[in-house]
Every structure is written in C-alpha cells, then in structure tokens.
Amino acid sequence: MAISKATITWQPNIEFDLAGYNVYRQVETGAFVKITALLIPKGTTVYVDSALPTGTTYTYNVTAVDTSGNESLHSGNVSKVNDVVPPAAPVILDVVLS
C-alpha cells in the first residue's frame, strides 16, 4: 500500500485578535477529528497531513481561533481520494529481430 500526503491551504483571516487555526480531518464517512495538536500560528495558511494510506477518501476543514480561545465555525469541506488505480499497460508492442 502506497503512502501519500495532503497539503491543505486556506485564505488568511484578518481579525486583529487572531491566534491561529485548527485543521480537522474526516476519514471516509467517519467523524471529523482535530489533527493539529497545537494551534497553527497566524500568518501560516498551509498544513501538510503526512503518511496517508492510498485508496481512502480524506475530507478536511479549518477553523480560526482568537486570542481568547474562541473558535470559529468550520470552513467548507474539501475532499480528496488518494489514487490507487495504476495507468493502463502499454499496448501494441512489436519486436523486430535482425
């Protein structure tokens, strides 16, 4: 089974008291789980989720958190299926002996 990674990006929030962001992941149809152990600091708008087995659907969303600890509503969801289908085999082979 191959392993891949997902890179999640978002537009920065502009609130003056923004502390950072949390990233949530859903695997297939399970519940969303926060996958960031620490708050992603303001000014950072990218998160890389590593070591993901292929052949699975991953859905992500992001929340903003202010300096008082208030967390926003979840952003819209974005999903991706890790591709496990290999390309077709080459066809119409020919060998010429000389």
Side-chain angles (χ1 to χ4, degrees), residues 8 22-25 32 59-63 74-78:
I8 302 95
N22 288 317
V23 177
Y24 291 79
R25 176 181 63 208
F32 277 94
T59 304
Y60 297 89
N61 63 49
V62 178
T63 61
H74 291 248
S75 68
N77 296 336
V78 62

Side-chain angles (χ1 to χ4, degrees), residues 49-74:
D49 191 12
S50 301
L52 301 172
T54 55
T56 302
T57 301
Y58 297 96
T59 304
Y60 297 89
N61 63 49
V62 178
T63 61
V65 179
D66 68 16
T67 55
S68 295
N70 299 310
E71 187 170 21
S72 73
L73 296 175
H74 291 248

Side-chain angles (χ1 to χ4, degrees), residues 12-86:
N13 282 47
I14 57 171
E15 290 81 10
F16 73 94
D17 64 342
L18 177 69
Y21 305 94
N22 288 317
V23 177
Y24 291 79
R25 176 181 63 208
Q26 176 187 47
V27 179
E28 298 295 344
T29 59
F32 277 94
V33 175
K34 184 170 82 167
I35 59 172
T36 47
L38 301 174
L39 203 59
I40 297 171
K42 69 179 180 180
T44 302
T45 57
V46 63
Y47 180 79
V48 177
D49 191 12
S50 301
L52 301 172
T54 55
T56 302
T57 301
Y58 297 96
T59 304
Y60 297 89
N61 63 49
V62 178
T63 61
V65 179
D66 68 16
T67 55
S68 295
N70 299 310
E71 187 170 21
S72 73
L73 296 175
H74 291 248
S75 68
N77 296 336
V78 62
S79 297
K80 186 67 177 171
V81 177
N82 281 341
D83 184 10
V84 296
V85 179

